[in-house]
């Protein structure tokens, strides 16, 4: 007798067992899909965390000027690079309608002015920045390059930057005050709250032409480190003199200010000049009209064929008529 296979036996025992199998398969598929969704969300979250850029450093620019230089110099800084700071503040010895400076009258000694300016900045503007640039009204600053450099550091670090010098007498490290000095928020706070309040750490006496050295001494005494502001190829970003000196020219030891720098430069000087970084941050202006030339060529001009980085925050500034 011919025997036939039972379809019930082939399909694991009939309708009831088949239904159970189908339900199990369906639940398995659902759990598998939920697992994939969970994995996707977890991966996306991790990628988002890894791809999140560091916080944009907020820079407060404190710009030193004087009444006789308001119209000659400071007003031109206000119309150019100062607008790229997150907040800028002029400090002067008298009022001005457009500049609206913080006024410090009858302070004749440079060190006393630095003390007063930085103390005021801490008390009135500390909450507005992560880093504080102390510059002069004859400096030109590429704020975006400064912000790029500072992204590698934390404002909680006890560190400051500038054009680095070393005292020829005692080996004290400090910054050349003619090309900008940048302090982290933590450094500014410690300088004001610990250094300025202790005569043993920081002198309150007049220092004359040694103001920059005294600032370096005070910061060193409260464990603030003098950082290396050069780029990865050891090229300088804070330049002490004018562009015609650093680009194609050279320093002259018969000029007093050049000789001062050459005798105290922290880093070696080769062929009477410094290698200049492509991400330069600050240098001295030879004449104020040059500020507009530099601002136009660095902020407005677009090179045909070169990739352009879209900066929506500064677009409005770059396209305003000066």
């Amino acid at each position: 007798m011919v025997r036939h296979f039972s379809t019930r036996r082939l399909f694991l025992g009939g309708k009831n067992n088949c239904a159970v199998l189908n339900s199990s398969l369906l639940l398995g598929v659902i759990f598998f899909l939920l697992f994939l969704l969970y994995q996707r969300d977890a991966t996306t979250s991790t990628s988002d965390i890894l791809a999140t850029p560091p916080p944009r450093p907020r820079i407060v620019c404190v710009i030193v000027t004087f009444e006789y230089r308001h119209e000659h110099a400071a007003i031109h800084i206000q119309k150019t690079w100062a607008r790229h700071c997150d907040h800028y503040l002029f400090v002067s010895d008298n009022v001005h309608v457009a500049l609206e400076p913080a006024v410090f009258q009858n302070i004749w000694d440079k060190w006393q002015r630095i003390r007063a300016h930085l103390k005021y900045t801490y008390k009135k503007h500390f909450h507005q920045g992560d880093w504080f640039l102390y510059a002069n009204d004859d400096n030109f600053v590429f704020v975006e390059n400064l912000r790029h450099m500072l992204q590698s550091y934390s404002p909680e670090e006890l560190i400051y930057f500038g054009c680095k010098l070393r005292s020829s007498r005692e080996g004290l490290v400090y910054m050349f005050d003619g090309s900008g000095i940048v302090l982290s928020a933590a450094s500014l706070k410690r300088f004001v709250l610990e250094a300025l309040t202790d005569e043993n750490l920081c002198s309150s006496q007049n220092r004359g032409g040694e103001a920059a050295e005294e600032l370096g001494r005070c910061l060193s005494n409260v464990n603030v480190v003098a950082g290396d502001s050069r780029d990865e190829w050891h090229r300088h970003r804070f330049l002490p003199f004018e562009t015609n000196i650093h680009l194609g020219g050279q320093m002259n030891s018969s000029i007093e200010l050049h000789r001062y720098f050459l005798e105290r430069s922290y880093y070696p000087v080769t062929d009477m000049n410094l290698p200049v970084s492509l991400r330069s941050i600050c240098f001295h202006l030879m004449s104020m009209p040059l500020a507009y030339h530099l601002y136009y060529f660095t902020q407005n001009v677009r090179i045909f064929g070169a990739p352009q980085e879209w900066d929506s925050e500064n677009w409005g500034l770059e396209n305003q008529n000066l």
Side-chain angles (χ1 to χ4, degrees):
M1 179 181 292
V2 178
R3 300 185 64 180
H4 299 282
F5 288 109
S6 169
T7 55
R8 289 174 181 265
R9 189 176 299 171
L10 179 64
F11 288 99
L12 302 178
K15 292 183 178 179
N16 292 335
N17 290 336
C18 185
V20 172
L21 177 61
N22 289 339
S23 299
S24 299
L25 287 173
L26 180 61
L27 287 173
V29 170
I30 291 173
F31 281 121
F32 181 69
L33 291 174
L34 289 173
F35 174 75
L36 289 179
L37 289 171
Y38 172 79
Q39 288 291 96
R40 185 198 66 179
D41 292 341
T43 303
T44 301
S45 299
T46 304
S47 299
D48 290 344
I49 292 172
L50 293 175
T52 301
R56 179 177 183 268
R58 298 175 302 153
I59 299 173
V60 174
C61 300
V62 183
I63 305 163
V64 181
T65 188
F66 298 91
E67 181 180 16
Y68 76 95
R69 293 181 60 84
H70 286 171
E71 296 296 331
H72 166 65
I75 198 69
H76 306 302
I77 299 304
Q78 184 188 47
K79 292 179 179 180
T80 54
W81 64 261
R83 300 182 298 170
H84 291 255
C85 306
D86 294 277
H87 180 81
Y88 67 84
L89 164 72
F90 284 93
V91 289
S92 181
D93 57 351
N94 212 339
V95 298
H96 187 273
V97 174
L99 298 174
E100 298 181 320
V103 177
F104 301 83
Q105 293 183 322
N106 303 319
I107 304 180
W108 313 116
D109 181 72
K110 187 174 184 177
W111 171 233
Q112 300 300 338
R113 288 197 297 270
I114 292 176
R115 289 169 57 95
H117 295 164
L118 294 181
K119 186 175 181 179
Y120 175 86
T121 301
Y122 174 74
K123 287 187 173 181
K124 299 296 184 180
H125 300 281
F126 185 74
H127 65 285
Q128 294 176 314
D130 303 309
W131 298 86
F132 297 83
L133 169 67
Y134 190 70
N136 300 316
D137 64 5
D138 57 0
N139 288 141
F140 192 92
V141 178
F142 299 102
V143 179
E144 288 77 10
N145 286 351
L146 174 59
R147 189 173 285 114
H148 177 267
M149 184 191 81
L150 295 176
Q151 284 180 341
S152 301
Y153 301 89
S154 166
E156 299 305 316
E157 291 183 65
L158 291 172
I159 194 168
Y160 75 117
F161 298 99
C163 181
K164 204 168 179 179
L165 302 179
R166 188 195 300 272
S167 169
S168 56
R169 290 176 300 177
E170 53 186 310
L172 173 71
V173 177
Y174 63 104
M175 301 299 172
F176 183 65
D177 58 351
S179 56
I181 299 173
V182 184
L183 297 94
S184 69
S187 299
L188 176 62
K189 182 177 181 179
R190 182 163 293 193
F191 172 73
V192 173
L193 297 185
E194 296 187 24
L196 290 186
T197 57
D198 190 335
E199 188 69 24
N200 293 321
L201 298 176
C202 191
S203 174
S204 62
Q205 303 302 309
N206 292 350
R207 303 298 292 176
E210 297 181 353
E213 292 181 55
E214 187 60 31
L215 177 61
R217 180 179 294 105
C218 296
L219 290 170
S220 176
N221 286 342
V222 290
N223 299 317
V224 176
V225 176
D228 185 354
S229 64
R230 298 174 302 166
D231 64 18
E232 56 268 39
W233 293 282
H234 293 169
R235 296 179 300 194
H236 291 253
R237 289 188 273 210
F238 287 80
L239 300 165
F241 305 118
E242 298 83 0
T243 53
N244 65 316
I245 298 295
H246 296 296
L247 302 176
Q250 59 180 199
M251 286 175 270
N252 185 343
S253 58
S254 65
I255 298 175
E256 183 178 358
L257 191 57
H258 289 192
R259 184 169 61 254
Y260 174 90
F261 177 83
L262 290 167
E263 291 173 352
R264 292 166 175 80
S265 178
Y266 186 87
Y267 303 107
V269 177
T270 304
D271 296 329
M272 301 297 283
N273 213 331
L274 300 173
V276 179
S277 173
L278 293 178
R279 290 191 180 272
S280 297
I281 291 173
C282 185
F283 55 85
H284 185 260
L285 286 169
M286 184 168 53
S287 64
M288 295 318 297
L290 184 59
Y292 292 100
H293 301 162
L294 288 168
Y295 189 79
Y296 176 77
F297 285 113
T298 58
Q299 299 293 340
N300 288 10
V301 169
R302 295 292 180 261
I303 306 301
F304 177 76
Q308 302 296 337
E309 295 182 2
W310 175 256
D311 186 350
S312 59
E313 295 183 7
N314 289 324
W315 185 86
L317 295 177
E318 295 169 5
N319 289 275
Q320 290 176 7
N321 292 325
L322 299 180

